Amino acid sequence: MAIIKIENVSFSYDEDLAHAVLKNIDLEINEGEFVAVLGHNGSGKSTLAKLMNGILLPGEGRVLVDGMDTADDNLIKEIRKTAGMVFQNPDNQIVATIVEEDVAFAPENLGVPPEEIRRRVDEALATVGMTKYARHSANKLSGGQKQRVAIAGLLAMKPKCIILDEPTAMLDPSGRKEVMRTIKKLNEEENITIILITHYMDEAAKAKRVVVMNKGSILLDETPHYVFQNAGLLKSVGLDVPQSTELMFALREKGIKVPLAVINEKECEEVLRDLLEGKIVTDRG
Ligand code: ADP
Ligand code: MG
């Protein structure tokens, strides 16, 4: 069953579709998927994300979240509970001083009974690995920790889907890793549908499906292995390939016949081992 269904959606910020920043988008995301969305600045990724939980409404077409039309005012609360959003700036998402109060904020607003809130907060903090910070001051946390608290705040609403709009863009490398580990865990262990907008190719390579946007349209919607073999096409729309893939292309240029379908460190390591063991042919004798 589709958790997000985007049907022939066009959108313009000035309501004149002659200036549409999204044009005739069709996209269906099923429950349990892990989808990365790539695209150059201004290609429409954030706009698309905001359409996915009713922050913005389509100018044309419709968006269904777990079957609920985002244009229906009566459903908007339920839609926001089903599909939560994480934004780029960790500081803008903290609403309470103490970590556990922050996580409890949304379910409190929804009128969830106190014992149930306690249970959900504890569970959510455990899932994102922040249990021991429950009583800490939220604004003293690192960026990566703040993003994990923001994710816990969504988890406390029991969402089926989480949309993350460049959640690691403002984080240092260790913060990025923490957040990526958490996202993967949510998908693999909690079966939460993940839509990850990112400009890091290495992060997109962790998804099972990659959607590439260009100028308000979907250019590619394929597996990461497929997408990253198209280095030329990606470059033409201002995108790159993961470092591991880049290395394979460079080795090929030197006449070393490594496979190009390499998108992460593990696959890269395997190829390099084969190369060292003489299992890969080179033109250089
Ligand atoms: P991305 O997230 O891929 O960088 P956006 O969805 O933010 O792209 O932007 C898509 C287009 O819409 C860009 O041309 C951008 O300038 C424009 N845009 C984004 N937000 C607004 C806004 N609030 N008002 C008017 N135009 C906007
Ligand atoms: Mg954006």
Side-chain angles (χ1 to χ4, degrees):
M1 151 108 188
I3 189 83
I4 304 275
K5 192 164 186 186
I6 298 177
E7 294 177 342
N8 192 30
V9 162
S10 296
F11 176 86
S12 167
Y13 281 98
D14 65 5
E15 288 172 12
D16 177 356
L17 287 176
H19 308 145
V21 298
L22 290 179
K23 295 157 208 146
N24 306 103
I25 300 276
D26 279 298
L27 182 65
E28 208 172 309
I29 293 170
N30 288 317
E31 212 166 345
E33 279 200 277
F34 180 174
V35 183
V37 180
L38 289 174
H40 197 257
N41 277 342
S43 59
K45 304 181 298 298
S46 294
T47 307
L48 186 67
K50 288 176 189 154
L51 282 156
M52 287 181 186
N53 81 341
I55 297 175
L56 296 174
L57 297 176
E60 191 179 84
R62 50 176 206 160
V63 177
L64 302 177
V65 176
D66 206 13
M68 298 176 281
D69 192 329
T70 58
D72 186 340
D73 273 346
N74 300 316
L75 296 176
I76 202 67
K77 247 182 146 173
E78 197 57 35
I79 287 169
R80 299 266 166 83
K81 263 201 292 185
T82 306
M85 246 184 106
V86 178
F87 298 93
Q88 192 176 96
N89 191 338
D91 293 314
N92 293 347
Q93 297 175 82
I94 304 287
V95 288
T97 346
I98 303 298
V99 168
E100 64 181 9
E101 286 167 7
D102 191 81
V103 177
F105 187 79
E108 263 163 12
N109 274 349
L110 292 172
V112 176
E115 334 65 89
E116 170 70 9
I117 292 180
R118 181 75 260 166
R119 201 159 41 234
R120 287 192 193 188
V121 168
D122 291 346
E123 205 180 298
L125 285 173
T127 303
V128 303
M130 287 294 287
T131 302
K132 67 175 186 215
Y133 293 92
R135 304 286 313 149
H136 282 229
S137 162
N139 58 33
K140 288 199 188 123
L141 302 175
S142 71
Q145 290 172 329
K146 281 179 188 164
Q147 286 299 56
R148 286 189 286 148
V149 170
I151 292 170
L154 294 181
L155 290 178
M157 292 200 286
K158 301 267 170 205
K160 290 186 178 173
C161 174
I162 297 183
I163 303 147
L164 305 104
D165 191 355
E166 302 199 20
T168 65
M170 299 177 77
L171 308 183
D172 60 15
S174 72
R176 280 181 56 200
K177 274 198 193 124
E178 286 168 27
V179 170
M180 283 305 298
R181 260 202 301 271
T182 305
I183 294 171
K184 253 189 135 234
K185 180 174 168 194
L186 295 182
N187 179 249
E188 285 170 5
E189 292 173 23
E190 315 282 324
N191 198 38
I192 293 176
T193 310
I194 298 290
I195 299 159
L196 171 68
I197 296 171
T198 180
H199 63 253
Y200 292 110
M201 303 304 135
D202 297 324
E203 292 182 359
K206 291 193 163 54
K208 302 214 180 66
R209 174 178 170 193
V210 176
V211 171
V212 180
M213 308 262 315
N214 182 45
K215 296 184 182 150
S217 299
I218 293 175
L219 179 72
L220 283 175
D221 180 357
E222 295 287 348
T223 64
H225 280 98
Y226 183 94
V227 167
F228 293 128
Q229 298 323 292
N230 286 284
L233 180 62
L234 290 176
K235 287 218 163 81
S236 76
V237 297
L239 297 175
D240 245 310
V241 296
Q243 280 183 320
S244 311
T245 319
E246 188 95 45
L247 177 61
M248 295 303 126
F249 277 97
L251 289 169
R252 274 282 180 116
E253 265 174 31
K254 301 269 181 222
I256 302 168
K257 300 218 170 34
V258 291
L260 292 177
V262 168
I263 61 169
N264 57 43
E265 285 162 26
K266 188 165 162 279
E267 292 173 354
C268 188
E269 197 185 303
E270 282 164 14
V271 169
L272 295 180
R273 191 176 313 121
D274 285 350
L275 190 60
L276 287 172
E277 290 172 0
K279 290 182 191 156
I280 290 174
V281 188
T282 82
D283 285 348
R284 301 181 304 166

